[in-house]
Amino acid sequence: MKFKLSSGLFIFLTPVLLWLFLLIVIPQIELLLMSLRGENNLGEPIWTFANYLHFFTEEIYWYTFVRTATYAIIVTVLTFIVTFPVAFYITKVVSKRLSVFLTILLLVPFWVSELVRVYGWMILLRESGVLNHIMLSLGLIDKPVEMLYNDISMIMGLVYTSMLFMVVPLISSLEGMDDSLIEAAHDLGASKWTIFTRIVIPYAAPGITSGSIVVFMLALGNYLTPNLMGGKNSLWFTEQIYNQFIASFNWNQGAAFGFLLLLLSSLIIWVGLKMSKQQLGRVLS
Amino acid sequence: MPVVLDIVDLTKRFADFVAVDNVCFQAEEGKFFSILGPSGCGKTTLLRMIAGFLEPTSGSLQIRGKDMLGIPPNRRPVNLVFQNLALFPMMNVADNIGFGLKRQRCPKKEIASKTEAMLERVHLSGYGSKDISQLSGGQKQRVAIARALVLEPSILLLDEPLGALDLKLREQMKIELKNLQREVGTTFIYITHDQSEALVMSDTVAVMNAGRFEQIDTPRNLYSRPASSFVAGFVGETNIFAASVEDISPTLRLRAENGVLFKATAMQEMAGAKKGRLFIRPEAIILEPDSGLDNLNRFEVTVRTILFDGSNTKILAMLGDREITVALPQNQQFAHITPGETVSAGVHIDACKCYPGE
Ligand SMILES: Nc1ncnc2c1ncn2[C@@H]1O[C@H](COP(=O)(O)OP(=O)(O)OP(=O)(O)O)[C@@H](O)[C@H]1O
Ligand SMILES: [Mg+2]
């Protein structure tokens, strides 16, 4: 389809384009330039790749990134495992009216900020928290246990904050699926498991992929939850970036890390798409 | 002929609504069996019980002598062609057709050859690698039928499979489906609300109304000897009159709503009935009948409209204050008739069928 950019449309688009340009493109270019700057031995500013090389030579940065990416993948998989039955139940099992109600119920917690929700978990889990209090008074334990500040609680928190972004695309793709497809497969001799793997999952694949991309990116780029629930040793890559900017005032290094995060996560998503034989265009449509 | 499907007193109740009410029938091996009924009469419900998607409230259901109650759909020797086809959009044509064979752990080679043979059978050779979205309505239809037939079921169930097609294609698919059934020899149980589909294709038709079977018969008998007032009105085109009974013996005489007196044939016991319904087929009405003919109800009609449709031409005429449909014979004998003309007409007593009731 071809259409001419009429002057009316142009006027209409100008604020949007301007906004995109000023707030997104220019800062990115600025950061890119910054990440390529450095100082030579004499302390003079020069163009250099040193900031990028640093990432590959210093083991800790490299290790932190791999750890973050691995955990982000685990979070994505777990989020899918947790939300898929929910989405299936809402769209295929219950009646239409109940399904609308349940969807709203699912979204309500996400109306409050992530910070508040994470604090909610902390109130539940911390040493002097609700859970410990209950277990103590039931006599299940005799001294409080620290359930926060470890990898498991951090992953749980990340899964919780990501759920919305998985469940919405899942619901919308499953909603489009005709129930008679499931019945037809059953009629043609398929067991429940085969129906799930051969009909439901392939049908929902675009929703699963787009949900997974969003959850993966958000988990990877999350700062709040790993910091609050994972504690000091959470070793999340965003903390490294934060440290470079805020703690060491090394903006050039921080900018380079930021770009590395963008590039490497894009690479991981590309590999993921190739492996699952999905096309980005189809997923987004 | 051995019986493939034997259904006794099958009933399905949804809360206090009876969707299928004490249905009994048998379908013979290799026959084309249709269930004909208006929308909402319980056809799909009955079919879903046969396929195994619904458990009957009571009654028994046997296929080839084996009790089917409690057996899930994937283990019944029947396959269903869905009302909306339900082809798998993420698979191509060949994978759709091979889906069931794969579930039976058929070797790959055999799947490929059976799929190809089936595609040929439904005139879709070479379409195996196409996507479902690339097919036309009629082609999708054939894929859906092929997908079920390739499993060689004891019974193929079809739920209004031609419903979504346009008229022309429907006419063509009717004939194709009938031929296909004869070639493969599978028992077809075909659901429809279109009486012409049922009459054209079937060996046996069951007419269903409000959850019950009114009559199970050959298409010819259904048309010429309807067992009930409902069947007479539902199967084939007909002129219907509400009438009051004037006399029962020696001949049944009725005064129709438009005041015309008819001698008629009672199709059910009329003793004690005050009201009746009178059915006269359009082709039973003879224009300008010979004065020597006996046992004829004679009257005059005024022609209003001529509905020219080739060999199927009809006229709409006024009999008293009622409009009736009269089919013209094919020999162009009445080509001269024009609207406004008054013509003598007659109908044989045997063709005036009367049932008791309002
Ligand atoms: N799950 C259900 N719960 C309650 N009532 C139902 C249910 N399924 C069907 N019915 C009712 O049973 C009746 C028969 O439905 P069915 O789908 O068998 O009709 P049908 O003859 O196939 O009609 P159509 O030609 O429109 O497809 C309808 O009145 C319908 O409202
Ligand atoms: Mg139906």
Side-chain angles (χ1 to χ4, degrees):
Chain A
M1 200 171 61
K2 252 171 62 172
F3 70 95
K4 270 202 228 113
L5 209 63
S6 68
S7 56
L9 186 67
F10 194 72
I11 290 169
F12 191 66
L13 277 180
T14 305
V16 181
L17 292 174
L18 216 63
W19 183 79
L20 277 176
F21 189 73
L22 288 179
L23 279 136
I24 296 179
V25 179
I26 292 192
Q28 290 294 319
I29 292 173
E30 179 67 30
L31 272 179
L32 182 64
L33 292 179
M34 200 184 277
S35 73
L36 293 168
R37 301 294 284 177
E39 285 175 354
N40 65 5
N41 295 338
L42 305 172
E44 293 161 340
I46 50 159
W47 295 102
T48 170
F49 277 111
N51 297 322
Y52 287 90
L53 286 176
H54 221 92
F55 173 81
F56 294 99
T57 47
E58 285 283 336
E59 213 169 270
I60 182 70
Y61 299 142
W62 187 218
Y63 168 77
T64 311
F65 181 81
V66 171
R67 182 184 137 91
T68 308
T70 312
Y71 274 5
I73 291 170
I74 291 173
V75 165
T76 310
V77 172
L78 285 179
T79 312
F80 171 71
I81 291 172
V82 170
T83 52
F84 194 85
V86 177
F88 190 82
Y89 183 80
I90 285 182
T91 50
K92 294 290 152 212
V93 181
V94 299
S95 69
K96 183 79 200 132
R97 267 186 41 212
L98 191 58
S99 114
V100 171
F101 173 74
L102 287 177
T103 312
I104 292 173
L105 206 65
L106 205 65
L107 300 188
V108 164
F110 292 89
W111 289 352
V112 299
S113 101
E114 186 184 347
L115 188 66
V116 176
R117 274 179 287 133
V118 171
Y119 267 116
W121 277 110
M122 294 176 78
I123 290 169
L124 277 179
L125 296 180
R126 69 182 170 195
E127 233 173 327
S128 56
V130 177
L131 216 57
N132 268 317
H133 183 77
I134 291 174
M135 289 203 293
L136 273 177
S137 52
L138 285 179
L140 292 173
I141 47 175
D142 23 83
K143 66 174 179 5
V145 239
E146 180 57 273
M147 285 178 275
L148 274 177
Y149 313 125
N150 57 49
D151 287 0
I152 292 175
S153 65
M154 178 178 76
I155 285 180
M156 194 201 66
L158 281 169
V159 168
Y160 176 69
T161 47
S162 309
M163 259 163 40
L164 176 75
F165 303 98
M166 185 66 96
V167 85
V168 169
L170 283 184
I171 284 180
S172 74
S173 68
L174 283 176
E175 242 172 9
M177 181 170 145
D178 194 340
D179 291 2
S180 63
L181 289 186
I182 295 174
E183 287 187 337
H186 201 32
D187 184 65
L188 292 167
S191 61
K192 293 230 161 68
W193 176 247
T194 318
I195 294 173
F196 180 70
T197 54
R198 292 301 154 94
I199 307 294
V200 180
I201 294 277
Y203 192 95
I208 296 172
T209 317
S210 64
S212 298
I213 291 177
V214 174
V215 168
F216 175 74
M217 288 300 251
L218 286 178
L220 204 62
N222 199 326
Y223 178 74
L224 198 68
T225 309
N227 232 328
L228 289 180
M229 293 185 76
K232 287 279 164 288
N233 317 321
S234 66
L235 274 182
W236 209 251
F237 194 67
T238 45
E239 282 170 36
Q240 301 283 4
I241 299 177
Y242 176 87
N243 285 343
Q244 292 301 333
F245 273 110
I246 306 299
S248 356
F249 289 107
N250 190 346
W251 282 46
N252 306 73
Q253 186 64 64
F257 280 179
F259 268 94
L260 280 166
L261 182 66
L262 184 69
L263 291 176
L264 289 172
S265 57
S266 304
L267 184 75
I268 292 172
I269 285 172
W270 181 79
V271 170
L273 283 172
K274 277 279 163 285
M275 268 166 45
S276 64
K277 299 198 184 75
Q278 293 283 315
Q279 282 144 16
L280 195 60
R282 242 189 69 208
V283 165
L284 292 179
S285 65
Chain B
M1 277 285 169
V3 169
V4 193
L5 176 67
D6 189 0
I7 284 181
V8 182
D9 284 340
L10 207 64
T11 299
K12 179 70 196 180
R13 214 170 274 130
F14 294 114
D16 54 355
F17 175 78
V18 186
V20 173
D21 191 3
N22 267 304
V23 163
C24 287
F25 75 95
Q26 299 188 322
E28 289 176 355
E29 187 82 58
K31 292 285 188 210
F32 200 119
F33 187 101
S34 290
I35 298 170
L36 171 66
S39 187
C41 72
K43 304 182 295 291
T44 301
T45 309
L46 175 58
L47 208 67
R48 288 171 65 80
M49 285 195 283
I50 302 174
F53 291 116
L54 279 175
E55 276 298 305
T57 312
S58 65
S60 88
L61 196 165
Q62 294 189 336
I63 295 173
R64 294 228 158 100
K66 264 213 273 186
D67 200 357
M68 282 294 136
L69 297 187
I71 296 182
N74 54 344
R75 292 219 294 276
R76 292 195 186 194
V78 299
N79 287 112
L80 178 58
V81 177
F82 285 75
Q83 204 158 358
N84 60 356
L85 306 184
L87 295 173
F88 306 131
M90 55 284 182
M91 301 179 195
N92 66 17
V93 171
D95 289 343
N96 262 279
I97 297 177
F99 184 85
L101 293 171
K102 223 174 189 171
R103 305 286 81 79
Q104 297 177 349
R105 308 200 186 290
C106 214
K108 269 217 168 78
K109 267 219 182 99
E110 205 178 322
I111 294 181
S113 66
K114 278 190 177 178
T115 304
E116 198 39 57
M118 206 62 224
L119 278 172
E120 202 164 316
R121 177 136 267 171
V122 296
H123 312 300
L124 285 176
S125 303
Y127 277 72
S129 57
K130 289 219 177 194
D131 266 348
I132 295 301
S133 56
Q134 291 171 290
L135 301 181
S136 74
Q139 289 167 341
K140 281 185 193 158
Q141 191 62 63
R142 288 183 220 156
V143 173
I145 292 167
R147 184 177 71 174
L149 262 187
V150 77
L151 298 176
E152 295 165 10
S154 295
I155 305 169
L156 184 69
L157 308 169
L158 301 107
D159 190 351
E160 305 200 24
L162 308 186
L165 305 182
D166 61 63
L167 197 66
K168 189 115 191 182
L169 199 55
R170 202 147 65 199
E171 293 299 317
Q172 186 192 332
M173 283 299 295
K174 253 192 240 178
I175 300 161
E176 234 173 76
L177 209 56
K178 174 73 191 163
N179 289 339
L180 183 68
Q181 191 268 336
R182 219 187 1 240
E183 281 170 33
V184 296
T186 307
T187 310
F188 276 34
I189 297 205
Y190 185 94
I191 278 193
T192 179
H193 62 253
D194 180 323
Q195 43 109 0
S196 110
E197 275 176 27
L199 295 185
V200 168
M201 293 193 279
S202 321
D203 297 305
T204 310
V205 181
V207 180
M208 193 171 186
N209 181 30
R212 294 177 154 277
F213 275 8
E214 298 257 339
Q215 184 174 7
I216 306 175
D217 221 326
T218 60
R220 184 172 297 279
N221 279 344
L222 223 48
Y223 192 80
S224 55
R225 283 202 292 279
S228 70
S229 156
F230 175 81
V231 178
F234 193 72
V235 178
E237 200 181 347
T238 191
N239 295 295
I240 308 174
F241 298 91
S244 51
V245 178
E246 294 264 303
D247 203 354
I248 289 187
S249 61
T251 45
L252 176 66
R253 291 192 308 150
L254 303 151
R255 170 102 33 211
E257 57 198 312
N258 56 356
V260 178
L261 194 67
F262 284 97
K263 282 179 277 183
T265 312
M267 301 299 288
Q268 284 174 349
E269 186 50 58
M270 291 296 291
K274 289 215 163 45
K275 302 257 183 196
R277 286 173 81 74
L278 181 64
F279 296 86
I280 304 173
R281 299 267 184 218
E283 70 275 14
I285 301 171
I286 314 162
L287 293 180
E288 297 172 354
D290 196 278
S291 57
L293 288 173
D294 278 341
N295 288 334
L296 224 54
N297 292 298
R298 289 168 187 277
F299 39 82
E300 305 240 294
V301 296
T302 311
V303 178
R304 281 191 56 175
T305 321
I306 297 168
L307 305 170
F308 182 79
D309 184 15
S311 61
N312 196 17
T313 300
K314 294 184 193 115
I315 60 174
L316 299 179
M318 296 305 287
L319 172 58
D321 59 356
R322 256 296 301 273
E323 192 176 69
I324 60 168
T325 311
V326 181
L328 293 186
Q330 292 180 22
N331 57 13
Q332 303 295 316
Q333 185 187 348
F334 296 103
H336 59 85
I337 287 184
T338 51
E341 234 175 284
T342 300
V343 230
S344 65
V347 55
H348 198 273
I349 296 181
D350 288 347
C352 295
K353 301 195 164 93
C354 181
Y355 298 82
E358 288 295 306

mmCIF file of all heavy atoms in Angstrom, chain B residues 44 83 159-160, ligand 2:
data_model
loop_
_atom_site.group_PDB
_atom_site.id
_atom_site.type_symbol
_atom_site.label_atom_id
_atom_site.label_comp_id
_atom_site.label_asym_id
_atom_site.label_seq_id
_atom_site.Cartn_x
_atom_site.Cartn_y
_atom_site.Cartn_z
ATOM 1 N N THR B 44 -26.979 -30.757 16.669
ATOM 2 C CA THR B 44 -25.572 -30.740 17.067
ATOM 3 C C THR B 44 -25.373 -31.482 18.384
ATOM 4 O O THR B 44 -24.401 -32.223 18.549
ATOM 5 C CB THR B 44 -25.068 -29.286 17.175
ATOM 6 O OG1 THR B 44 -25.221 -28.656 15.913
ATOM 7 C CG2 THR B 44 -23.625 -29.224 17.580
ATOM 8 N N GLN B 83 -18.937 -27.855 12.208
ATOM 9 C CA GLN B 83 -19.782 -26.857 11.565
ATOM 10 C C GLN B 83 -18.920 -25.720 11.004
ATOM 11 O O GLN B 83 -19.161 -25.223 9.924
ATOM 12 C CB GLN B 83 -20.784 -26.300 12.593
ATOM 13 C CG GLN B 83 -22.043 -25.732 11.996
ATOM 14 C CD GLN B 83 -23.209 -25.685 12.995
ATOM 15 O OE1 GLN B 83 -23.099 -26.105 14.137
ATOM 16 N NE2 GLN B 83 -24.335 -25.180 12.553
ATOM 17 N N ASP B 159 -21.449 -32.005 10.504
ATOM 18 C CA ASP B 159 -22.366 -31.039 11.099
ATOM 19 C C ASP B 159 -22.545 -29.846 10.159
ATOM 20 O O ASP B 159 -21.713 -28.947 10.139
ATOM 21 C CB ASP B 159 -21.807 -30.582 12.444
ATOM 22 C CG ASP B 159 -22.828 -29.766 13.223
ATOM 23 O OD1 ASP B 159 -23.879 -29.431 12.649
ATOM 24 O OD2 ASP B 159 -22.568 -29.464 14.401
ATOM 25 N N GLU B 160 -23.593 -29.836 9.396
ATOM 26 C CA GLU B 160 -23.880 -28.778 8.426
ATOM 27 C C GLU B 160 -22.624 -28.298 7.711
ATOM 28 O O GLU B 160 -22.300 -27.115 7.735
ATOM 29 C CB GLU B 160 -24.534 -27.576 9.133
ATOM 30 C CG GLU B 160 -25.755 -27.981 9.896
ATOM 31 C CD GLU B 160 -26.685 -26.823 10.201
ATOM 32 O OE1 GLU B 160 -26.633 -25.825 9.479
ATOM 33 O OE2 GLU B 160 -27.473 -26.948 11.140
HETATM 34 MG MG MG C 2 -25.845 -27.103 15.116
#
